[in-house]
Every structure is written in C-alpha cells, then in structure tokens.
Amino acid sequence: MTDPLLLIDELTYAWPGEQDPVIRKLSLSIAAGEKVFLAGASGSGKSTLLALIGGLVLPDQGTIDISGQSLNTLSRSARDRFRADHLGVIFQQFNLLPWLDVVGNVTLGCHFSALRRKRTGAVRSAAEALLKAMDLEQRLWHKRADQLSVGQQQRVAAARALIGQPDLVLADEPTSALDRDRRDAFLSLLFREIDRAGSALLFVSHDHELAARFDRTLELSELNGAACHAIEAGA
Ligand code: ADP
Ligand code: MG
C-alpha cells in the first residue's frame, strides 16, 4: 500500500481565548489523486481544519503530514514555502487580488514557488490554458479581478489553485454563492482539471447534495471527538 498523501493524526485545536477545541482528536487520510467531500454544518470547524492543513495555524496536539513531510516540524517560513510548493487553495471568498488582472491572479499561484514554476513550464501560457479549460472567455483575461461576476471569480480562483499541479487542492465551500446549474457546471470543470493535474481534492461544504460526485464523503461531526476511530474502522 502506498503512503497517503495527507495523513492527519489525533488533531486538536482551540482558537486562542476559546476553552473548547473546535477540532478534537481528528484523524483522516487522503490518497494521492483522491477527491474527498467533507461535510459539516456552518460553524463546525471546516475552515479551521483547512487552515490547519494549510499550515496557517498550528495544532495544539496531533500531527499533519503531507507527502511525507510533517508540518509540525517546519518553521513558519518553511511552512509558507511548503504550502506554495504543494497546495492549491480555493478560498470561500476567493481572495483574488482585485487590482490584478485575471491572468495576473492565476500566475500568482507560481509566484512564491520555484518548484511550482518548474512544473508549470511557460507560466503565462499555462495560465491561459487553465482559464480556457475553466471556460473563462478570453475577453475577460485582462480585466481586473474586481470587475468579474462571482461565478467568473470562482473559476479564476480554481485556475490559480490548479496551476503547477499541486499535490493537494483545498476548496472551502467554493460553490456556496452559485445557483444549482452553475454549481454543477463548476464542479465538472474543477474535477476535469483536478484529474488532469493528478491532484487530490479536499472539498468542504455544508451542501450534502454535492457528496455523490466525490470518491468519498466524510462528516466532520463524526471525525471530531471519540467517534473518529469507530468511523475509520467501519470505512
Ligand atoms: P465552518 O467553516 O465550518 O463554518 P469555522 O472553522 O469557520 O467553521 O468556525 C468554527 C469555529 O471557530 C466557530 O466557532 C468560529 O467562531 C471559530 N473561529 C473561526 N475562525 C476564527 C478565528 N480566526 N479566530 C477565532 N475564532 C475563529
Ligand atoms: Mg467556513
């Protein structure tokens, strides 16, 4: 059996000043190329878990390994570099830089990582190919990001996350602002490009309707707390 791409063991985290941890002894693993749906109610800790996996906050207890590298042992700057090299992130609010144009936002995914640039090759043409693949019309490529509709911004955010074939893409409810048809179309585009890049996908959402399209579904409420081992044993 090959090592998992993402391995989380007994992760616990409380936000500073909070008594109760929002993530409690949570364990999970994701294989290379696997597409996993993580469901959880609003406020249950989905974005917190993604911040932990992205190395933006450090766990109180437990470990996170990505591609065999333990995040806990890295310095802050090394974690930033590791994130730039290995992870693509689609944020809930997309976090595009409003003053950059569309192509500039996508190539940004390569800006902080030599490894990512190397994998990408010609960065500009790779960005354009991804934008085309995400169905974003060419007339929009040189518009400022803040002049795009929500659906367009979301496809730019996906292209930015995917450039340079990251090992793992984290997606934080990227479809929550879309109607059903647009949501389904977006997922189809995202999956096609995830498969092409060979990336794994951890997609969090409160919208259970999406679950059937993924390789595997997890419930945050079941992973959190003492129940996690029973769930894994039965999976
Ligand atoms: P979800 O993404 O599932 O809606 P979150 O991870 O955003 O849930 O939030 C889980 C809990 O953590 C909430 O109680 C929220 O108030 C708290 N929380 C989230 N982000 C922060 C933060 N930056 N600082 C302090 N508390 C936070
Ligand atoms: Mg959230």
Side-chain angles (χ1 to χ4, degrees):
M1 207 185 112
T2 52
D3 289 338
L5 175 75
L6 170 69
L7 182 62
I8 299 182
D9 189 42
E10 301 253 329
L11 192 69
T12 295
Y13 181 75
W15 283 100
E18 295 290 324
Q19 238 168 14
D20 297 326
V22 55
I23 302 295
R24 297 179 298 277
K25 292 200 166 223
L26 179 149
S27 299
L28 71 85
S29 70
I30 294 181
E34 195 179 18
K35 294 193 274 294
V36 175
F37 182 79
L38 178 64
S42 182
S44 61
K46 301 183 297 298
S47 297
T48 302
L49 179 61
L50 294 188
L52 286 155
I53 296 170
L56 297 168
V57 292
L58 281 178
D60 299 324
Q61 283 164 36
T63 56
I64 300 171
D65 291 30
I66 299 172
S67 302
Q69 171 67 55
S70 168
L71 290 190
N72 307 48
T73 60
L74 297 177
S75 68
R76 191 196 177 99
S77 60
R79 284 202 311 278
D80 290 344
R81 213 170 323 123
F82 187 84
R83 182 186 327 113
D85 283 346
H86 297 282
L87 301 185
V89 184
I90 308 174
F91 295 95
Q92 192 160 9
Q93 307 299 333
F94 313 135
N95 294 13
L96 300 179
L97 293 185
W99 60 87
L100 278 186
D101 73 1
V102 163
V103 170
N105 267 282
V106 176
T107 56
L108 204 62
C110 283
H111 198 78
F112 303 103
S113 165
L115 179 71
R116 205 88 173 254
R117 278 197 298 280
K118 194 168 156 210
R119 273 201 235 156
T120 306
V123 170
R124 196 184 171 82
S125 50
E128 292 178 355
L130 271 168
L131 287 167
K132 211 177 271 175
M134 295 307 293
D135 247 353
L136 202 85
E137 298 150 71
Q138 198 164 351
R139 66 179 179 84
L140 300 173
W141 292 0
H142 297 289
K143 280 206 173 210
R144 280 172 56 120
D146 59 3
Q147 291 173 352
L148 304 183
S149 73
V150 169
Q152 291 163 348
Q153 286 185 40
Q154 173 203 50
R155 282 175 280 149
V156 176
R160 181 179 62 184
L162 283 159
I163 198 164
Q165 297 147 300
D167 301 332
L168 174 64
V169 172
L170 304 174
D172 194 350
E173 313 217 39
T175 58
S176 57
L178 299 185
D179 61 43
R180 181 179 291 188
D181 286 351
R182 286 181 169 276
R183 183 194 72 184
D184 290 347
F186 172 76
L187 267 192
S188 297
L189 293 175
L190 179 66
F191 280 13
R192 192 183 64 193
E193 292 311 303
I194 288 274
D195 287 341
R196 206 196 304 251
S199 309
L201 172 66
L202 178 60
F203 186 110
V204 306
S205 174
H206 64 275
D207 184 357
H208 283 86
E209 259 189 51
L210 303 175
R213 300 189 58 180
F214 288 75
D215 297 328
R216 191 153 57 102
T217 299
L218 301 169
E219 295 284 342
L220 186 53
S221 59
E222 291 171 355
L223 293 176
N224 239 347
C228 64
H229 294 300
I231 296 298
E232 291 219 325

